[in-house]
């Protein structure tokens, strides 16, 4: 019937607009039931359950058997980690797998059979699930005593496949790989040529006294390779050349040449390549997001225009405003955007919208969220007005900053004076009195500011929220201190007691004050720019961080599995290996596993390869990706700063999409329509 | 008289064109005598003498008294350095000063009195000379026993002021300083806040067992600052956090936060800022070079157009081709360019040139030098033609590369087999036979290639020159070996004798073969791109390297002067300090002077400041400048590679000017004329 048809069209439009908002692909089934399933699947609850499941399955590693998560990492002091009984973690895992199976079936159903075969991510998802389940069954049939658990290494895949941003980023990284591989190959050639050269140069001679370099670093091929590889990370920088250098200064030419070529040229070339390649790909992915948004809006327009109530128009299709309003009421979107669109709709005099008008209406979605602070209260009393003027004035804020600086300086003075004293010799009176005074000032400042600005306006500034929160915490801590130990007086030296001793509490108060000092930053122009760049970067970095977590998790699990049996007996070495595996600082691995582990020869062969791989991925590639993103972000921001002066009282929320807006190309009508006609499930009337 | 006037105009035109070629300013005196002096001053001989003087005065440091230039740096083995008698180096110095005084007087005279007062570089030059001479007199009156010699620190200034490119680069760096200072300030704030935080976190407690972190790294304010500063260089990366980490894993959060914020964000922000700022300034300086060139050409046109022989033209000025030919014959310039200009002149049908035509004629100067290889010889004999086809074919080159690879692999195998053997156990027969075979092949390859290409064409390729030279050296070394020790036979193990033992000689031969392997690089496309980028970079880096030398020289001399008296008695420490001062690897200093020197407390205070300054300048700023230049260069090159396919047989010689050519703006006629009318010494007729 027409009513049912109309209803279907309305529902399709709703879903397409929601797709556009979330930058999702519109290539899914569009019949009534599928649309219901689709909206249910992308509802907040469902997505939240999915995220929770992913978190749980990743977090399992911390309680599972070969984990070493205890407070201290020192094997001498630490208690044995809690060992969950066989079947506990396994049943949680099974629950997670069940959720994932529902997830993959819904996803596969929604995109349809044909699309499913083209989607490699879904195939990999199913494969991962099958392997994991098989491994799970094997695990249970051995009563959890088996050593190799493949499914653990596969776990981060669930995190990866759930984030479209991460998949996009991974695709970008993937496209950069050939170039990176070339440089890594060049690095390998560089390394091997210099290794040969070093072995020829520092060969064994008759005189054992002269052989220190050979004995220490170039005894055989693996040793030489290792020495020079570590030199590439600059971890053993002067040590490796000291024996040769003390024999003849000219030998240093070899090492300098190696370092300059390897570190300065090749490593930075990697930065240049990644920056150059990645710049384009990031833009491209943002461009495709924009295309998805425009496509979703256009699809909504097309289905709405085929509503039977619209008068058939041979030349151009139109959408009635009534239908759009009906759709808008049911669409889940940011209320600010919705209101803005409604407002524009009401201002529109006509009662039909063309495709261009329709598209323009939804451009509100691309706009910066402009945040308006609520107004200050209007006081009637003259005195209050004066107060408001005085304490709302920027100078009052500057005074607060000066006081915070004074507080920092006084803490510093106390620290320097107390540095070498035994705890029993220390007199905490001075610190206590200072804290008391400054906290009172901060409290007063907060109250006066609230008086001047009104609570709502005060809280609308993030810096004030930060300030206020810290002040309240400081106040509570201070009151607690006084309640337990009384007011400070000369010779005030309370004993250590309970969970938090006074000493700890005073320290805690002072640490918080150090943080409070950060409020000075927005007042300095350049610092503010830098800090906002960094904050933007953190936003844009989520996808990268996710991928790093994925890689790190896989590496940590592999490391634990590889070195578990072999390393446990060697107390001290174990500590270090486990430390590096979980911490992942590349210098840590390189230094520890290449300098300390050689004593443990068996493990070291594997450890070397493992750590070199980790160093390449985490340090070389990831750090360079980070630099590329930072360069991109900073240069864009810097250029924009020169273009326009920032308006006061307005804060922009920038995302990676907005950053590139001025260089993005709008998709043309033809491209959109061509893509729409390729939709596997949607049959357009015309 | 008119003849004398005409002669002056011709001379002026010659000098202006030479100025344009060398990108020199044209703001100098233009009367006949000054022009003669100007050409004499900028003649090759004069400039060569000046460069030699600068080299000599800089090299003096290696023979002067507190120098430690000996073959070995080990204080136990080294002989006392040669100590020149008082007055020897001083008289050489005086000679250099005399040359500099002539230099500065000529320069000052040539630019004229008014310009002199505006030229800060010349003022600084004179000041430096006065201070140096005063110091020299003081030195002689103390019979060279005085300790502080200021003039040594000033010496690199002479290098700096003589290079316009270095002055330009310094100006660019100078403009970037405010931004850099902001980030360094941010780094300082970051460091001090975290230091305070660390001191509060790792305070002394009652239990001495728990205090390891405090004892080791955070005992007092200077210690804490040092620990965190060194952590910023990642030199003490995991060590500094191990005691705290083994107490409680949560402490690692502090260190990770510090490293991520400091190393990943702030340090890379410095890269971003320098890249962003420097990009503009490099372009600007190239733009100003272009302006100087256009201005010189235009000035030459103007003076030539006022020659009396030219018919007066009210509307436009013209230059007769005869006058230009007269000028061109006397101008010193690249013969290729000269010929190209002459050729265009002859092809020109008119006998007068307008300003635009004149300017266009000299655009030849901006063009890439296109190098055409001479043709192969034409053989009549059928056999020789076939030989020529076979050995001139690229496949023959590939075969050579395969042989070189085989050679490398065989050396590698021998190295691995011989690695652990005593020299007395080694049998050099295999290596000797391999070398003999491969060198014969290389010789044959060279001869056949010369046969196929002809000697001239063979030598016109740099890769062939490199190959040929190495082959000849290898051949000489091999013949020398055979002459001394006879042909290799099993058990061939000649004794060590003379200056170069056989063992050394064979090693030397093999090292050269390792180099020869590099000829493979141009055959791999990506590697060729990378290598040409690097070679370009080296060309463009000369100014940077010069500035680094200047800074390094000043630092080394300061270091020697500061730590001379204090460190000499402490044998081992001395070695290290001297090592780092002369070598200048930042990790070297940081590790050695902050980890080893703390035992020598007196020096350490000064050493810390000295080395932190050196670390900031050499490693942080210079390395970032380098990365900026590399990024710039690589991205330009990469973009160009996509634009056009490289033509075979044509090699471009790229300079920093050419790199930016597509973004440079041509100066307008008005700008040029306005600048010409501001010339302090040239009065134009109109």
């Amino acid at each position: 019937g027409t009513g049912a048809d109309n209803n279907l069209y309305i529902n399709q439009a709703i879903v397409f607009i929601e797709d556009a908002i979330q930058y999702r692909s519109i290539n899914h089934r569009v019949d009534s039931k599928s649309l219901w399933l689709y909206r249910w699947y992308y509802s907040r609850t469902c997505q939240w359950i999915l995220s929770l499941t992913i978190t749980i399955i990743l977090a399992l590693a911390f309680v599972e058997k070969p984990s070493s998560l205890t407070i201290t990492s020192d094997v001498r002091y630490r208690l044995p980690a809690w060992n969950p009984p066989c079947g506990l973690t396994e049943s949680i895992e099974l629950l997670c797998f069940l959720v994932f199976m529902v997830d993959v079936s819904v996803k596969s159903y929604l995109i349809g059979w044909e699309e499913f075969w083209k989607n490699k991510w879904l195939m990999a998802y199913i494969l991962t699930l099958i392997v994991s389940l098989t491994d799970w069954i094997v695990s249970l049939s051995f009563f959890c005593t088996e050593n190799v658990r493949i499914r653990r290494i596969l776990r981060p895949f669930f995190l990866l496949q759930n984030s479209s941003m991460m998949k996009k980023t991974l695709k970008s990284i993937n496209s950069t790989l050939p170039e990176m591989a070339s440089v890594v190959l060049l690095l390998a050639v560089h390394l091997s040529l210099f290794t040969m050269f070093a072995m020829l140069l520092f060969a064994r001679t008759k005189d054992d006294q002269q052989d220190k370099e050979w004995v220490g670093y170039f005894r055989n091929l693996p040793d030489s390779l290792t020495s020079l590889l570590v030199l590439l990370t600059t971890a053993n920088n002067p040590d490796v050349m000291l024996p040769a250098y003390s024999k003849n200064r000219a030998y240093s030419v070899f090492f300098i040449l190696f370092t300059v070529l390897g570190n300065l040229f090749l490593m930075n070339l990697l930065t240049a390549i990644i920056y150059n390649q990645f710049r384009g790909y990031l833009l491209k992915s943002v461009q495709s997001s924009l295309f998805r948004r425009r496509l979703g809006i256009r699809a909504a327009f097309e289905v709405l225009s085929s509503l039977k109530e619209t008068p058939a128009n041979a030349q151009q299709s139109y959408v009635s405003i009534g239908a759009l309003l009906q759709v808008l009421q049911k669409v889940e979107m940011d209320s600010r955007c919705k209101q803005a669109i409604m407002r524009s709709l009401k201002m529109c005099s006509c009662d039909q919208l063309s495709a261009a008008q329709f598209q323009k209406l939804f451009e509100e979605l691309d706009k910066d969220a402009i945040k308006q602070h609520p107004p200050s209260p209007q006081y009637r009393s003259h005195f209050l007005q004066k107060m408001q003027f005085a304490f709302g004035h920027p100078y009052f804020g500057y005074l607060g900053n000066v006081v915070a600086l004074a507080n920092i300086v006084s803490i510093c003075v106390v620290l320097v004076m107390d540095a070498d004293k035994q705890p029993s010799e220390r007199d905490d009176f001075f610190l206590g009195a200072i804290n008391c005074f400054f906290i009172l000032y901060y409290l007063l400042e907060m109250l006066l500011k609230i008086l001047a600005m009104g609570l709502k306006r005060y809280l609308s500034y993030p810096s004030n929220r930060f300030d206020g929160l810290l002040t309240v915490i400081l106040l509570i801590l201070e009151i607690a201190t006084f309640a337990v130990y009384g007011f400070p007086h000369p010779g005030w030296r309370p004993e250590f007691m309970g969970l938090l001793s006074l000493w700890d509490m005073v320290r805690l108060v002072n640490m918080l004050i150090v943080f409070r000092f950060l409020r000075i930053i927005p007042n300095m122009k350049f610092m503010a720019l830098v800090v906002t760049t960094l904050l933007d970067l953190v936003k844009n970095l989520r996808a990268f961080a996710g991928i790093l977590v994925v890689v790190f998790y896989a590496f940590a699990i592999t490391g634990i599995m590889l070195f578990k049996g072999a390393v446990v007996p060697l107390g001290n070495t174990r500590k270090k290996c486990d430390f590096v595996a979980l911490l992942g600082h590349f210098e840590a691995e390189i230094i520890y596993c290449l300098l300390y582990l050689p004593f443990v020869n068996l493990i070291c062969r594997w450890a070397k390869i493992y750590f070199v791989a980790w160093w390449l991925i985490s340090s070389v590639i990831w750090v360079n990706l980070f630099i590329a993103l930072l360069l991109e972000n900073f240069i864009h921001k810097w250029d924009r700063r020169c273009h326009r002066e920032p308006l006061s009282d307005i804060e922009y929320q920038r995302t990676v999409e907005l950053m590139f807006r001025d260089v993005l190309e709008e998709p043309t009508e033809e491209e959109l329509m061509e893509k729409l006609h390729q939709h596997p499930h949607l049959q357009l009337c015309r």
Side-chain angles (χ1 to χ4, degrees), chain A residues 19 34 109 111 143 183 202 234-235 275 281 305 313 450 480 507 582 596 603 650 659 662 664:
Chain A
D19 285 344
S34 303
Y109 170 75
I111 68 163
F143 296 105
V183 180
F202 306 114
T234 71
Y275 174 57
Y281 283 105
S305 74
N313 192 322
I450 292 178
R507 301 258 134 185
L582 275 174
Y596 288 76
I603 323 157
I650 291 176
M659 199 174 81
D662 26 349
L664 286 181

Side-chain angles (χ1 to χ4, degrees), chain A residues 202 209-214 216-218 231 236-252 254-255:
Chain A
F202 306 114
Q209 274 294 328
Q210 302 277 307
D211 269 358
K212 275 186 222 152
E213 189 74 40
W214 176 81
Y217 300 99
F218 298 99
L231 183 57
N236 63 353
N237 184 305
D239 307 275
V240 71
M241 63 170 126
L242 277 186
Y245 183 78
S246 74
K247 196 169 144 201
N248 188 330
R249 279 172 201 270
Y251 281 124
S252 66
F254 170 82
F255 292 101

Side-chain angles (χ1 to χ4, degrees), chain A residues 11-254:
Chain A
N11 279 335
Q12 284 177 348
I14 291 170
V15 168
F16 287 148
I17 288 174
E18 282 177 359
D19 285 344
I21 292 167
Q22 307 287 337
Y23 299 111
R24 287 195 299 247
S25 161
I26 59 162
N27 289 347
H28 49 77
R29 289 178 197 266
V30 289
D31 54 293
S32 284
K33 275 183 189 162
S34 303
L35 284 180
W36 178 83
L37 185 65
Y38 189 82
R39 287 197 81 187
W40 172 80
Y41 177 74
Y42 282 108
S43 69
R44 256 182 224 159
T45 325
C46 268
Q47 291 298 309
W48 186 82
I49 289 173
L50 196 56
S51 310
L52 186 72
T53 315
I54 293 170
T55 315
I56 287 173
I57 204 165
L58 287 178
L60 275 183
F62 292 107
V63 291
E64 275 172 343
K65 207 171 155 197
S67 144
S68 56
L69 192 80
T70 46
I71 290 175
T72 167
S73 69
D74 197 322
V75 270
R76 285 166 301 168
Y77 300 115
R78 77 169 171 213
L79 304 165
W82 176 63
N83 220 338
C86 177
L88 181 65
T89 58
E90 280 72 14
S91 41
I92 296 174
E93 251 182 314
L94 187 63
L95 277 177
C96 294
F97 289 149
L98 287 178
V99 173
F100 292 140
M101 281 191 291
V102 173
D103 177 44
V104 78
S105 350
V106 172
K107 260 190 186 161
S108 312
Y109 170 75
L110 282 175
I111 68 163
W113 193 243
E114 271 176 59
E115 293 289 301
F116 171 76
W117 287 112
K118 293 180 207 156
N119 194 325
K120 278 174 200 155
W121 279 104
L122 270 184
M123 311 277 278
Y125 195 1
I126 289 174
L127 200 72
T128 311
L129 270 176
I130 292 171
V131 172
S132 297
L133 273 173
T134 320
D135 191 52
W136 183 85
I137 291 164
V138 170
S139 193
L140 267 202
S141 61
F142 278 97
F143 296 105
C144 321
T145 54
E146 90 294 0
N147 275 321
V148 183
R149 296 189 181 181
I150 309 160
R151 66 178 188 280
R152 287 197 187 169
I153 306 175
L154 296 177
R155 272 177 200 164
F157 179 84
F158 300 123
L159 176 63
L160 200 61
Q161 67 78 32
N162 193 42
S163 152
S164 68
M165 193 67 198
M166 266 161 76
K167 282 193 273 190
K168 244 188 245 173
T169 310
L170 205 70
K171 212 173 153 192
S172 307
I173 294 175
N174 197 30
S175 332
T176 322
L177 278 184
E179 314 277 340
M180 280 199 256
S182 309
V183 180
V184 171
L185 183 75
L186 214 60
L187 261 179
V189 170
H190 167 75
L191 201 62
S192 48
L193 279 190
F194 268 87
T195 304
M196 283 191 62
F197 206 82
M199 285 181 76
L200 288 163
L201 206 61
F202 306 114
R204 194 171 190 176
T205 52
K206 269 189 175 171
D207 180 7
D208 270 354
Q209 274 294 328
Q210 302 277 307
D211 269 358
K212 275 186 222 152
E213 189 74 40
W214 176 81
V215 170
Y217 300 99
F218 298 99
R219 192 176 262 276
N220 49 41
L221 193 66
D223 272 11
S224 312
L225 256 178
T226 308
S227 298
L228 288 183
L229 186 68
V230 178
L231 183 57
L232 210 57
T233 71
T234 71
N236 63 353
N237 184 305
D239 307 275
V240 71
M241 63 170 126
L242 277 186
Y245 183 78
S246 74
K247 196 169 144 201
N248 188 330
R249 279 172 201 270
Y251 281 124
S252 66
V253 173
F254 170 82

Side-chain angles (χ1 to χ4, degrees), chain A residues 13 66 74 121 146 158 212 232 269 282 296 496 540 558 561 568 593 598 606 644 659 671:
Chain A
D74 197 322
W121 279 104
E146 90 294 0
F158 300 123
K212 275 186 222 152
L232 210 57
L269 195 68
L282 202 61
F496 292 38
N540 296 341
T558 318
M561 268 167 51
V568 166
C593 276
W606 285 105
R644 66 167 183 218
M659 199 174 81
E671 285 168 352

